């Protein structure tokens, strides 16, 4: 199953499919809208986006307190090059007005393009075959190609449009969808060399430029061409012929945010170069790129095609979403929609990065490099928050500014600092790339570690962290959130470790970093004292970790009295009401047990899972994957599988109801993690890697590969575990708490999971 | 000292004096601006306001969650009738361009008017004597009178203006000052009967009308009059003469919010009736009204004129601020400025009401009646917050809507419910007016009591209240705020008491109330169980009440490292930073000990005072009076006096730097409370009243009167305590914990305070 496909048309599902069938390459993204258009009254979010391209909008408050962000960054919807209207003997083709048969669409994960075709019957009873194919190139990141192929015995006209009349989508009734529709001012439209349509726009506030150039290649060179709309924000190229036609549209998008060369120069250069290459040749290149991706990154599921499809869909979309230039990251919705305004969150490090770390370490490093690139903004934000040293990573951002305007569920989530540090540390554990630590990691880990010293304090000999919000946004501004405290402990412990490692192995590099951030030797001592005495709230009676100092003292939410249509709670209850109860939006303490399980007794892990599971709504899409992984850890096989099913189908079945605003990319990452960290029980620690595999009953097995400290391994789980060393030196590996030496191939029988269902 | 006066002109102090010299009667208010105007570039807030008159403005959020108010109520600045420009031989009189001598201004607390006079020297060296007098009538609430008297040997022209080109004051840099300047649309200006200038405007959103009518009475009937500006938002009447002139401007303001009769009809009727009465006669009526007020409400300070002035200023401004119609209340700034947008807060019940309760019970009842009038809105808000029963009083409001947009320091302050109930209960204790309880009090006390059952829960047998904010806004959204919990306990205890009292004495009335609010008998049992098991956080080691469950676990604020110019903290630190420390904005637990000291050991009261005093910034103007009162309670005489000095001089010396935005009316109430509840140690409980008087060393004594259950008492404290029964039956009274019978006069030696300084 290397594709997503559909052969039914449902008006209500169209906006969801726009997200599912979106194409992107980590730089340029385009939603899966219909080239020939929809009737005016249909809901459609016709979107084209560039990762990291943004403008500023005013942050609005009726009561603004000190340090609240004045502005927010927001990703604009760009000029639209999707439209290719088709007229048959003058009749406009539409799937919603006329008659059609044989409709189908597909997105190919292995080939990297999307296809849509149908047979159209005109009002006069003649039929036409229409097929669109489109791709966003992984090899030339600015490039989008769309091909329209029409077979018809009569007059065919194709009007191919590039439109600068664009705006962002807004929804007054959903706080998760942003405001501010108009971000771009159209600047110019011109026809270059009588062939290239070039549209330029600028962002209203920051004056960033974005340019789109379009060229057409037609299967019938002799047909008449009309190109209109110069000096207007909408340009049209019209191709008219009789009989069959194939029209290929080459569109290139460039922006000025990180490049000096004028955008129209670059656009023209790219479009001129690339339009000499046929779509078929571009598709060949695309397939090669993806072959290489899948070679390392595929997760195979044996015996369940639907799950296999869902998993590959997830991995493909992760690849499509990831910024690969070190200056951009992965937005909460990737490049598939406008939800969360194109902002990056902690999602990257905790939910997505591990997949790339294991299978595409060079992409992982680029994502981490981005975090290093915004250190200065994070320093500024820390000063705004009153900290004399350290950094505060923005809860949500594109270019580094803190963009959360509701701080209890935004800036207060200091754990983002720990999450970013965790990403660097895990990457180091996985690959032991000390150069990368020297250049990027150490500074981030040191700076984030210092911040804990600023916000924490000692009380009765224990290090406490007050007034923060953990991952669970249904419980805000608390003291000693367990998740935050363990992440802080890990952050500081590793700051100290890296300090000593560098002192030993790269003393000059360390000196440079320390000088740059003006860190004192005494701060290392402070960190040691803080992490060694970190307070971790624990309930003796229940033998579980407390989510925070007072979570367990609250009343239980009345789940029985809450009808289905009141979920997600945040859309139906005042935050104060929600805060008052033991009810959580997403994995919090359970997530902490996943990320940092060291030294924990199984009993505590299981008790904690049992307790919080009962009060978790999974209203966030960041929850079910973690509960699934930890269900595996606890031996709850049925649960693990159920949670995995929720995870893998979340967008495909639109279970959260808002896939139209873009895919839940963290959850896509969670799908990959569910197999590797969940079913296979993979963990990486300072002491090495370990597995604790089991196989869901419905499957005959699964397989994935991973890179580890200069090696590549293949892990295959069927009725036994097979680990193959594909490349690199012998290693030690722990399976079910027992140590093995892996020279080339290990076969280990699966331990019957200690089933706890 | 029956007046406030000034004889110096300081440009920077002018906006402050506009607040200090404001005139009002609880309905209409006008700031003390100069009739002849200022140079354009001067900061002046030229304001005229009607208590309770408002429009709606959009509440702004970048991230809006469920239940956040969509709109806010805001008090508009009304058409300006203050202006009377004076020209002497064509030269415009201004205190800032020309030369002047003998400048002075005064506000008379006993006569109820303001006066301003100076000698002006023209550029040609001629001199004129100018005097303005103005009053806002207590007898005719719509009426403002301004008289200009000019003595000059030459041509005098007076241009008297009424101006509809008005807007509200805004300040981007201070969150305590609101936004939205344009609230009114000018509707019409007309000249009625060739004498009455009538301007009408409407609020933009709600279409409430407001009308101002102006008539002039001139000492020289024969002089020329030009009236211009019909059909424009600015009308001018010009009077020109030579020699002396006295021009009296009669202005009436009416609004349509609570009255059906067209506003212009009413304005004309009032202005026609009232302009037959001379200013002198109006002033006589005004004095009579105030004589009666002072007869019952004066607080005399013997031996310190400056303090006497400050106290009387406070009482006079309280009278000016209080709505007296049962549909309006007391805004945080009274009618003296636009700070907090004309909103009513808990300030009324806790800081101001006691003064009226003791000395003007009929005004107190009107203020409480207002709370009953907005019960329906409070019910709606409770539903929004997810409560099936009960009410939630708005944290800030004019007509009843919740207008706080930052809920952690707004809606989360559930204690407002307890505060309102406390007001009714205290009133009942003071006057035992069961009719008032039947009509208004019981329903409010029952409904607020029910709300605690909704937000509280039992844990380990104790009743807990989570996710609320106490009075201290530097600590938000906490569990078991001591203040909130004791107020909730009192609220429920009294709901049960009143239930039984009414069941006994007014069974029919009770039945009606219970039916109306659909309260079950079982709820009374719930309340009993809740208040009897109320959890009150207590620190065994320090022997103090904890402000909330975790306040004492926090790090101490670094007061030594905080420079003076970083106060108030809220303007210089992010709320998250502030929340993280033991630092409080205003009396919280200490306030609870003032309001409900029953059964508390002196030691706990004193320890609690000592502890919290060290971490209190008094950044709120609601703090120093309470600390002063409780310093008296603890025997800290010096401190009590110092806090009192801060209280009584707060606005007069502009110590908070924002008196320009209006007087701190709660603090004015606190001034009265400081003498009666602080120095005299007055308390009212179910068991009766008590005193614990002492006299500051700097004074020779003080005296006040109070009504108590059909009696009037005079309390005089010099070197001994004298209590006189002016009216009514014998009573028992407790002094220094000893019971006395008061038939007509009691003289009791002052116990040397157990000085703890």
């Amino acid at each position: 199953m290397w594709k997503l496909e559909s052969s039914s048309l449902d008006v209500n599902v169209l906006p969801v499919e726009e997200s599912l069938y979106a194409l992107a390459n980590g730089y340029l993204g385009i939603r899966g809208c219909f080239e020939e258009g929809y009737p005016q009254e249909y809901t459609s979010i016709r979107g084209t986006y560039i990762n990291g391209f943004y403008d500023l909008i005013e942050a609005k408050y009726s009561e603004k307190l000190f340090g609240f962000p004045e502005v927010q960054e927001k990703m604009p919807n760009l000029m639209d090059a999707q439209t290719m209207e088709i007229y048959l003997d003058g009749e406009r083709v539409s799937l919603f007005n006329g008659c059609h048969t044989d409709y189908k669409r597909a997105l190919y994960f292995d080939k990297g393009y999307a296809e849509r075709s149908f047979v159209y019957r005109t009002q006069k009873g003649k039929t036409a075959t229409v097929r669109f194919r489109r791709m966003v190139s992984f090899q030339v990141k600015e490039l989008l190609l769309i091909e329209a192929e029409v077979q018809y015995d009569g007059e065919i006209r194709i009007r191919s449009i590039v439109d600068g009349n664009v705006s962002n989508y807004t929804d007054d009734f959903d706080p998760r969808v942003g405001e501010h529709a108009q971000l771009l001012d159209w600047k110019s439209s011109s026809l270059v060399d009588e062939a290239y349509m070039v549209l330029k726009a600028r962002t209203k506030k920051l004056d960033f430029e974005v340019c789109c150039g379009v060229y057409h290649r037609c299967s019938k060179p002799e047909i008449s061409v009309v190109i209109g709309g110069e000096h207007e924000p909408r340009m049209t190229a019209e191709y008219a012929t009789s009989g069959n036609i194939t029209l290929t549209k080459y569109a290139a998008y460039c922006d000025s945010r990180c490049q000096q060369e004028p955008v129209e120069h670059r656009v023209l250069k790219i479009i001129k170069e690339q339009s000499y290459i046929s779509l078929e040749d571009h598709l060949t290149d695309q397939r090669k790129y993806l072959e290489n991706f899948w070679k390392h990154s595929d997760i195979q599921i044996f015996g369940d095609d639907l799950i296999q499809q869902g998993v590959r869909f997830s991995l493909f979309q992760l690849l499509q979403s990831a910024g690969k230039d070190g200056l951009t990251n992965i937005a909460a919705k990737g490049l598939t929609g406008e939800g969360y305004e194109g902002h990056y969150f902690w999602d990257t490090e905790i939910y997505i990065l591990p997949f790339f770390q294991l299978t595409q370490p060079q992409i992982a490093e680029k994502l981490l490099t981005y975090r290093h690139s915004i250190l200065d903004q994070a320093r500024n934000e820390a000063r705004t928050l009153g900290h004399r040293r350290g950094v505060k990573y923005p809860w949500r951002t594109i270019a580094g500014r803190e963009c959360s305007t509701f701080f209890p569920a935004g800036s207060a989530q200091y754990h983002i600092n720990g999450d970013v540090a965790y990403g660097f540390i895990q990457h180091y554990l996985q690959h032991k790339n000390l150069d990368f630590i020297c250049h990027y990691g150490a500074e981030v880990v040191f700076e984030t570690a210092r911040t804990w010293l600023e916000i924490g304090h000692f009380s009765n000999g224990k290090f406490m962290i007050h007034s923060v919000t953990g991952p669970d946004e249904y419980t805000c501004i608390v003291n000693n959130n367990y998740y935050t405290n363990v992440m802080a402990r890990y952050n500081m412990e590793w700051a100290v470790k890296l300090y000593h490692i560098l002192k030993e192995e790269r003393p000059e590099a360390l000196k440079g970093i320390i000088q740059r951030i003006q860190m004192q030797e005494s701060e290392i001592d402070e960190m040691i004292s803080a992490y060694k005495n970190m307070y971790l709230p624990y309930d003796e009676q229940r033998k579980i970790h407390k989510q925070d100092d007072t979570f367990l003292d609250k009343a239980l939410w009345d789940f029985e009295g809450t009808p289905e249509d009141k979920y997600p709670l945040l859309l139906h209850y005042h935050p104060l009401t929600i805060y008052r109860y033991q009810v959580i939006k997403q994995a919090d303490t359970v997530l902490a047990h996943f990320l940092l399980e060291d030294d924990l007794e199984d009993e505590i892990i299981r008790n904690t899972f049992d307790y919080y599971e009962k009060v978790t709504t999974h209203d966030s899409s960041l929850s079910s994957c973690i509960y699934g992984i930890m269900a595996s850890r606890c031996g709850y096989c049925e649960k693990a599988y159920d949670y995995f099913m929720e995870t893998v189908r979340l967008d495909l079945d639109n279970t959260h109801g808002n896939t139209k605003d873009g895919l839940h990319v963290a959850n896509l990452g969670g799908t990959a993690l569910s197999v590797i960290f969940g079913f296979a029980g993979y963990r990486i620690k300072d002491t090495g890697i370990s597995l604790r595999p089991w196989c869901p009953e419905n499957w005959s097995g699964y397989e994935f590969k991973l890179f580890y400290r200069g090696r590549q391994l293949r892990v295959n789980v069927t009725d036994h575990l097979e680990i193959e060393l594909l490349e690199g030196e012998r290693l030690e590996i722990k399976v079910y708490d027992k140590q093995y030496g892996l020279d080339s191939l290990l076969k280990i029988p699966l331990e019957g999971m200690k089933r706890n269902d």
Side-chain angles (χ1 to χ4, degrees), chain A residues 27-315:
Chain A
Y27 173 74
L28 177 66
I30 181 168
R31 284 170 61 83
C33 306
F34 286 8
E35 286 82 354
E36 74 277 16
Y38 309 94
Q40 190 85 52
E41 68 276 15
Y42 282 25
T43 297
S44 164
I45 303 167
R46 204 168 186 87
T48 308
Y49 315 107
I50 286 178
N51 192 3
F53 188 66
Y54 71 100
D55 198 17
L56 296 180
I57 57 174
E58 185 201 3
K60 299 192 304 176
Y61 313 90
S62 281
E63 291 174 68
K64 182 175 172 298
L65 301 188
F66 179 86
F68 285 16
E70 310 263 344
V71 292
Q72 291 179 295
E73 301 170 351
K74 183 175 169 116
M75 175 181 77
N77 184 15
L78 307 181
M79 44 281 265
D80 179 62
Q82 294 195 55
T83 303
M84 295 177 86
E85 298 170 1
I86 298 172
Y87 297 82
L88 302 173
D89 292 323
E91 176 180 337
R92 178 157 173 196
V93 171
S94 163
L95 289 173
F96 303 98
N97 297 330
C99 281
H100 66 268
T101 57
D102 300 292
Y103 168 79
K104 57 181 192 236
R105 77 187 301 182
L107 172 68
Y108 298 102
F109 314 141
D110 53 347
K111 305 190 191 101
Y113 74 93
E115 182 174 15
R116 200 162 53 85
S117 62
F118 52 88
V119 174
Y120 185 82
R121 185 181 307 270
T122 66
Q123 292 187 345
K124 292 193 178 130
K126 289 164 70 180
T127 58
T129 305
V130 178
R131 182 176 75 158
F132 293 103
R133 291 192 295 172
R134 52 164 70 182
M135 62 168 272
V136 171
S137 171
F138 280 107
Q139 308 273 13
V140 183
K141 67 176 186 175
E142 297 84 357
L143 192 65
L144 158 71
L145 275 83
I146 307 181
E147 176 201 77
E149 185 185 321
V150 184
Q151 296 173 14
Y152 181 64
D153 184 16
E155 191 230 23
I156 305 170
R157 261 190 309 136
I158 302 181
R159 292 167 59 93
S160 180
I161 294 167
V162 52
D163 193 353
N165 281 319
V166 285
S167 61
N168 280 62
Y169 179 75
T170 61
D171 182 349
D172 285 349
F173 298 102
D174 188 342
R176 298 168 299 184
V177 180
E179 270 194 73
H180 287 88
Q182 289 297 336
L183 297 173
L184 290 182
D185 279 334
W186 168 71
K187 235 181 145 177
S188 66
S189 310
S190 52
L191 185 61
V192 179
D193 299 342
E194 290 182 29
Y196 302 93
M197 305 195 296
V198 178
L199 238 76
K200 202 165 76 169
R202 56 183 283 280
T203 61
K204 279 178 186 290
K205 283 274 164 13
L206 288 178
D207 214 6
F208 287 146
E209 288 187 339
V210 59
C211 184
C212 173
V214 169
Y215 178 81
H216 294 91
R217 193 166 285 281
C218 186
S219 58
K220 294 193 171 173
E222 75 280 10
I223 61 169
S224 67
V225 177
V226 180
I227 296 185
E230 221 172 327
H231 312 304
E232 278 170 30
R234 181 184 163 100
M235 300 184 84
T236 306
E238 185 165 307
Y239 293 79
T241 185
S242 10
N244 305 343
I245 181 173
T246 303
L247 185 68
T248 311
K249 185 174 195 173
Y250 293 79
Y253 285 84
C254 290
D255 76 283
S256 73
R257 196 194 135 201
C258 301
Q259 295 240 25
Q260 291 296 321
E261 195 189 341
V263 284
E264 53 271 56
H265 290 192
R266 282 193 287 137
V267 156
L268 274 171
K269 199 162 65 185
I270 292 163
I271 206 84
K272 283 179 178 178
E273 274 172 24
Q274 300 302 325
S275 60
Y276 281 105
I277 303 168
S278 71
L279 173 64
E280 292 308 330
D281 287 346
H282 275 295
L283 285 173
T284 303
D285 284 352
Q286 188 86 335
R287 197 172 55 244
K288 277 185 201 154
Y289 181 95
L290 285 164
E291 255 169 30
N292 187 53
F293 170 73
W294 289 114
K295 182 180 164 195
H296 301 302
S297 301
D298 191 21
I299 296 176
Q300 294 182 70
I301 308 292
F302 307 125
D304 192 326
D305 283 352
L306 211 65
I307 296 292
Q308 177 67 80
Q309 178 198 42
V311 170
R312 288 204 176 117
F313 170 78
S314 300
L315 307 183

Side-chain angles (χ1 to χ4, degrees), chain A residues 452 458 461-465 480 484-490 492 528-536:
Chain A
W452 302 115
F458 280 93
K462 287 307 216 175
F463 192 77
M464 310 256 175
I465 299 173
N480 294 313
T484 305
N485 286 20
V486 289
M487 292 300 271
R489 183 176 67 173
Y490 190 70
M492 291 190 284
I528 293 170
S529 168
Y531 86 71
K532 287 199 167 160
N533 296 294
M534 181 64 72
Y535 174 71
L536 298 178

Side-chain angles (χ1 to χ4, degrees), chain A residues 602-665:
Chain A
D602 285 1
E603 190 193 355
I604 294 177
I605 292 179
R606 200 150 48 228
N607 289 343
T608 301
F609 180 96
D610 293 346
Y611 190 85
Y612 291 105
E613 193 196 20
K614 291 194 188 69
V615 296
T616 304
T617 61
H618 308 293
D619 282 349
S620 162
S621 65
L622 278 57
S623 193
S624 59
C625 57
I626 303 302
Y627 272 92
I629 290 167
M630 291 309 283
S632 280
R633 176 71 180 78
C634 295
Y636 299 142
C637 296
E638 217 168 294
K639 270 193 180 155
Y641 192 73
D642 290 347
Y643 278 117
F644 176 71
M645 287 302 286
E646 278 178 40
T647 302
V648 73
R649 303 298 306 176
L650 191 147
D651 279 316
L652 295 173
D653 297 341
N654 190 19
T655 56
H656 279 235
N658 62 350
T659 292
K660 75 171 198 320
D661 298 318
L663 301 176
H664 298 77
V665 180

Side-chain angles (χ1 to χ4, degrees), chain A residues 391-546:
Chain A
V391 296
K392 172 64 171 57
Y393 274 100
W395 178 242
R396 50 192 297 177
T397 192
I398 295 175
R401 290 173 188 84
E402 176 59 80
C403 296
S404 70
T405 57
F406 177 64
F407 76 82
S411 311
Q413 300 199 44
Y414 272 82
H415 67 82
I416 178 111
N417 267 5
D419 305 331
V420 170
Y422 183 86
F424 278 98
I425 298 160
Q426 292 292 104
H427 192 76
Y428 174 72
L429 289 176
Q430 191 73 30
H431 302 294
K432 291 268 171 168
N433 181 345
L434 207 54
D435 285 341
F436 190 72
I437 288 293
C438 285
H439 287 126
Y440 303 105
E443 188 174 349
V444 170
V445 174
F446 291 161
E447 284 286 61
T448 47
R450 296 169 102 186
T451 312
W452 302 115
L453 299 175
E454 285 288 302
I455 69 163
H457 71 285
F458 280 93
S459 177
N460 293 323
K462 287 307 216 175
F463 192 77
M464 310 256 175
I465 299 173
H466 280 197
S467 287
V468 298
T469 297
D472 165 34
E473 294 175 347
Y474 283 177
T475 316
C476 287
I477 311 182
V478 296
N479 299 337
N480 294 313
N481 169 251
Y482 175 82
Y483 177 92
T484 305
N485 286 20
V486 289
M487 292 300 271
R489 183 176 67 173
Y490 190 70
N491 190 170
M492 291 190 284
E493 186 180 349
W494 269 96
V496 175
K497 278 188 190 173
L498 290 179
Y499 179 83
H500 290 302
I501 291 168
L502 294 182
K503 202 169 182 180
E504 188 73 25
E505 303 192 24
R506 303 287 174 90
E508 280 310 307
L510 177 66
K511 225 169 116 184
I513 297 166
I514 284 181
Q515 267 177 2
R516 188 160 63 249
I517 67 174
Q518 298 187 296
M519 189 167 76
Q520 310 297 320
E521 182 91 29
S522 62
E523 294 183 59
I524 296 296
D525 297 334
E526 280 185 79
M527 287 175 200
I528 293 170
S529 168
Y531 86 71
K532 287 199 167 160
N533 296 294
M534 181 64 72
Y535 174 71
L536 298 178
Y538 180 72
D539 183 83
E540 292 287 350
Q541 210 186 331
R542 297 182 180 92
K543 289 195 168 49
I544 66 172
H545 282 115
K546 299 202 271 188

